[in-house]
Amino acid sequence: MTSFVHLHVHSSFSPNWGLHAPQELCAAARSLGMKQLALTDRNGLYGLPNFLAAAKRNGLIPLVGSELVSNGQRALLLVRDQTGYINLCRLISALHTNSTFDLTAALVSHRAGLFILSDDRALLTRLSHGDRNGLYVELSPGHAMEQSRQLARQLKLPPVATTRALLLHRDDHQLHRVLRAIAQNTTLSRLAAIDCASPAALLCSAQDLADRLPHCPEALENSVRIAEACKTDWNFDATIFPRYENLADTEAAFELTKRARKGALWRYETLDDRIEKRLAKELNLILNKGFAHYFLVVQELAGRSPRTCGRGSAAASLVAYCLGITHVDPLRYNLFFERFLNEGRQDPPDIDIDFPWDERNEILDFAFTRYGRERAAMVANQVGFKSRSALREIAKVFGLPAAEIKSVTDRLASCWSPDKGVQALQQHPLFRGEDLHEDWRTIVALAGRLDGQLRHLSQHCGGLVVVPDDMRYYVPVETSAGGRPLIQWEKDQAEAAGLVKIDILGNRSLAVIRDALAAIEQHHGTTIDYPSWQPLTDDKTRALLCAGDTVGCFYIESPATRQLLQKMWHQQPLPTEDSLFEHLVMASSIIRPAANRFIREFVARMRGKPWCHQHSGLTPILGETYGLAVYQEQITQIAIALAGFSANEGDQLRKIVSKKDKEQRLSDFQQRFIAGGEQQGIDRAVLKKIWEQILSFAGYSFCKPHSASYALVSCKSAWLKANYPAEFMAAVISNGGGYYSTLGYLSEARRLGLSILPPEINCSDYSYRGRGPKLRVGLQQIATLTRQTIDHLLQERKHNGPFADLADFLVRLPQLGESDIKLLIKAGCFDLLEGAHRRPQLIWQLLNRRHLAKATSFDLFAPPKPAIPELPPCERSALRAQELESLGLPVSHHPLDRCRTAIARSGSIPAATLGRWLGRHVTLVGWWVTGKPIRTHEGRPMEFATFEDHSALFDATLFPAIYDRYCRLLAQPRPYLIKGLVEEEFGVVSLNVKWLGFLPV
Amino acid sequence: MTRDILHLAVPDFDVSLARAVDPSLRHRPLAVAAGQSQGSLLHCVSIEARQDGVTTGMNVHLARKCCPSLQLLTPRPELVCKAVRGLRKLASHCSPLWEPNGEGRMFLDLTGGSRLLGSPLDVAARLEQQVADRLQLPAIFGVAGNKLVARMAGASLGRPGICDVLRGNERNFIAPLSVSCLPGIGRLRNKRLLQDLNLRRVEQIAALSVAQLEPICGPFSALLQQRSRGIDPDPVQPTQRSTNISEETLLEKASNEETAIRAALGRLTERCGLRLRRLGRDTRHLRLTLGYADGYSIEKRITLTTPCHLDLDIMNAADNLLQRAWQRRIRLRHLRLNCEQLVVPSRQLSLFSTPQTGQINDALQDTFDELRQRFGRQAVGWGRNI
């Protein structure tokens, strides 16, 4: 029987080249009877950890390498030993980061531990002058094999057969060509053959290849010899921690203990037994696991900003709290430390820290300065195709115009996979009855076959990896668009390879709090001491939270959370500080995609409905959450208590429940859970009910420490909103808001009694400014006005005083562009100085400035300067159009203001009076605010929508039958006419929509 | 002397022709497209289809979405030729001075003919009757003291009929019209005039001096002011023999397939080549215009080192131009090839080239031309152009 090993194989991790995931390739190789398989993605090791896992699952021996292609030179490199791996990582890194990279020259100096296969004559000739060991000529069907054989004979190098495999089936080649056309920014008809793989690049059997190479059997035999000599003992089990200030491990342990104890005294003033015991337990575990350096590094980074939010499971750690990494007292709020670290946990800890979004780059700059570009790098995002991008890119290859593409892709969610996007096109009500163009049918068919193909890397929003020596010993490094080093793996593969990630994330609400506090200090002279700030001691804040008036407040502003808060405390006495905080933590945890039916039960129990635990073993676990699983760590605890799972197994179950490709492994866990529970004598029916609760954590869910960290920020936001609404709303909008659009926040500001003032050349700053009952629009709102222009303007105003009129402005700021000044005029910045009616004249003056500048040369016969013409003043509608054009939204009025007559005629009721119409059918006029499409238990789409009118926000539900009919009308910037039934639950009123249309204006 | 200018326009020319042949098509939403496939592009659209949002240049698929009852017609070049000939014949009975202004449109200068033919209004009425009787076509007539106002008068009607503007009253007539009616006001100028400076009516522009308009419209200001005051000294000019050859094609279906585009270009070069040889001229300069499906167009030019008239030479040069001009992936829907700077072929042979090759190529081309003349244009052709 012919022996052969595929040494040149591309997976979907070969950017813009490969098609199939390592798992598919391994399964295919296994079905062909292969025992070994190499993965040699192009210019990278993008999928190495995934490949190693897939090979293990399929019982294959993995061989690792990469095909390096650079400036017309090409070589396939296979790893023989650890030195070879390091050299490969260095070569790949140099290829991506060094603009003068020369593959041949680089191979001359870094070829130790590597097999080199190539059919590049110049490269092989040069390398053959040195060590000829490990040098082979690559023979591949479809790639001038005869010339390669001749080269082998001439250079007296052994040949080796490969197929440069990337296809599993013949028809894969069409998809590959589409990928290439996308990458080359060309069309299929203009795609050169040299830019594509050969149709013979199949993962074929040994016999198929032998049939193609009857004249060169040694080429196949050589593949086996190479495979036998390659490195196969791949092990990424060791965790690679950063090293703090080059301290020895014992020194780091001592330093951490010292700091933790010092921090504990700072936090608690005196240390009682409980604190001592917890601190000792945590320190013991942290030091035993060798995490001391990691904690010290994270503390150093967190200390760079006075306002941070350490979140995730790390908030359960008392050590993290004492070090100032997190800010919620884990003892006071009973946070489960084992969710963060336990004896059995094998994966590295993960500490996430939020910084104000505009300070994040400074923190990263500090980290790179501190540890250097050799030791630190950012984690990558491996960007592939999603539903929209797959359809859009293929449609571009087919030459469809952008507008036509947009009309289809706009209706798809950007986070869907291509496959889900295609399913939506075929089944979702948004596309029902849609007769797709014949070209679109081809495009959709191709898009459905795209799944996980890597296009390029981008920088993860905050994942930082620091190693003790050189990052290139572990993983190839590229350079991100922002110039930072970037490893080739995304967070999951980085974790699988033992690299410890520190998440440095940007949080807009921390910036909101910072800016609002600064404004409060400036306007009112009130200084808040941030570390000792207790927002919930304020009655107004507690009342605001209980009423669900939390638009703008971090993490609790979505319609679902606002409704939940209202339901929880409707007509209830104001809770105490601790009780409110505990329940706020629960509320922000239970709002998750798969837990809708448990939310109602939770509210009912909280409001006094009698209940009991499904099993007595759940009492200590679910006692604080009314017998319902609310936090992630409760999954682990339930599995340990009822089914005899170990802490590590329980943690694995928690992870798998929230993962997407979980089906197979989850069913294994379910069987073990049921079996383990039955062994402990628990009824199967009870176990199934509890399992259902566990499944409600699918999609995304949170642990208690994480929610508690966020709840603290929520409370601070709520305090600001309750006490200083103008400063708070100004900071919210200036920092880009959160769940709602700027228009939504402006409406909220109006509901808070603030009057919105348009931008003004002598009053506006860059950001929005709120003071007393007024909110002034910032110059940042003017679309396309650059930061530099605004800075020039503000500096000039600061140094030389306010502007007298447009003429004065033009003289003092001659460097500003005409289009920028025109935008300022249209935005109404000169209305106070000149009057809105003079805007046409001002624009003429501006145009005339350029005209006069052209004619500055001395001309004896130059005509006199023309007088400013009398131009007709703009009507109200024209002014509004200019406001929309320059600011992107109406600020001087609400969009419904233009429809007052139509609203009066429509017979609608104001949303504020909805509560008076319980159980009745009513008509409302509303402006779309936001929507949340979901699927019912049966998988039918429906949507929760929020509208507003002049009086209030109101929530409306479009159940599946209604959603089917009206989904195409949703999310339009037009006034809606909505008819429906007014319903109430726990005192919260909503509209069950029965009919929806546009208000005839 | 007061001038009398008449502008004649057959609305939706291709559709009107189809209705002239088949009256049962009246009052139905119609569109003329070169092909029946979903990607075929519409050449001409009836008013009923326009009311449903269908526009010229739209593809059939989208047009059917806008107007499910849309009926598609194929272009009939023979009818177009016949109708154009008919219109010219009728016009020549009214005035020796007429100027074509696109398909189914023309200016007639009736100045000084009132004693012979009656008043311009009578001429227009008679012509309207004749166009309706002999060609079964509707027509819109504008009569005024100059070409500009005559055309604007007709366009202001929006339906078949006659609009006669009192001579000397041109300025008053166009004063209340929208600024966008003035020729030369494109999208950009319209935005600047209409939205930024709030100039909405022609009279508002007419009230401004040239100096005041210059910051807004630059060198175009003087002409714009003249036009806004209803002044147009441009005479009606009979067709002159063109010094250029231009051939264009609207692809049957928008495409970005290289073979299809090269074939379409090849067919254009064959048509240009034939016209060049009939004129006995060589071309020294080629200009290629590509129109994309999203409305964007690009133009590239090339000056040939040696003027040529043979299909193969023009084809090679045009292919070169295509490679330079075709940089986007969006489908193309329109190609135009212009042969400019026509010169008399040089009889001077090159000292260093073999004269035989040129002679053989000429003989081969002559044979092709003869075959096509005797057996039709499809009788023989280049494989790449099929």
Side-chain angles (χ1 to χ4, degrees), chain B residues 198-220:
Chain B
N198 203 30
L199 294 169
R200 289 163 188 276
R201 294 190 306 278
V202 173
E203 63 187 335
Q204 290 169 334
I205 294 182
L208 299 179
S209 68
V210 175
Q212 287 171 327
L213 274 173
E214 262 176 351
I216 311 165
C217 297
F220 179 61

Side-chain angles (χ1 to χ4, degrees), chain A residues 398-399 435 439 826 844 873, chain B residues 38 61 196 198 212 258 331:
Chain A
F398 280 74
D435 174 25
D439 291 327
K826 287 183 176 182
W844 185 90
Chain B
Q38 289 185 318
H61 179 76
D196 294 359
N198 203 30
Q212 287 171 327
E258 192 168 26
R331 293 177 179 193

Side-chain angles (χ1 to χ4, degrees), chain A residues 147-160:
Chain A
Q147 284 176 25
S148 300
R149 282 197 68 205
Q150 214 173 8
L151 181 65
R153 281 197 295 270
Q154 280 172 3
L155 297 178
K156 298 195 174 74
L157 290 174
V160 61

Side-chain angles (χ1 to χ4, degrees), chain A residues 185-187 189-190 397-399 434-435 437-439 822 826 840 843-844 848 851 867 872-873 882, chain B residues 38 61 65 191-192 195-199 204 208 211-212 214-216 256-258 323 326 329-331:
Chain A
N185 193 19
T186 187
T187 63
S189 65
R190 306 183 92 185
V397 170
F398 280 74
E434 185 104 354
D435 174 25
H437 193 294
E438 58 200 272
D439 291 327
K822 199 193 284 183
K826 287 183 176 182
I843 292 178
W844 185 90
N848 194 40
H851 186 64
Q882 290 188 353
Chain B
Q38 289 185 318
H61 179 76
K65 271 188 175 177
K191 185 173 180 288
R192 186 173 278 184
Q195 291 172 12
D196 294 359
L197 297 162
N198 203 30
L199 294 169
Q204 290 169 334
L208 299 179
Q212 287 171 327
E214 262 176 351
I216 311 165
N256 64 358
E257 280 287 323
E258 192 168 26
Q323 292 307 320
W326 190 15
R329 291 191 287 185
I330 307 287
R331 293 177 179 193

Side-chain angles (χ1 to χ4, degrees), chain B residues 68-84:
Chain B
S69 58
L70 184 74
Q71 190 172 341
L72 281 184
L73 307 170
T74 46
R76 298 183 60 181
E78 75 288 354
L79 277 184
V80 173
C81 289
K82 199 173 158 189
V84 167

Side-chain angles (χ1 to χ4, degrees), chain A residues 357 508-509 512 552 557 731-742 745:
Chain A
W357 67 279
R508 289 184 183 272
S509 280
V512 169
E557 62 172 335
V732 167
I733 300 173
S734 300
N735 282 290
Y739 197 87
Y740 303 95
S741 63
T742 303
Y745 288 117

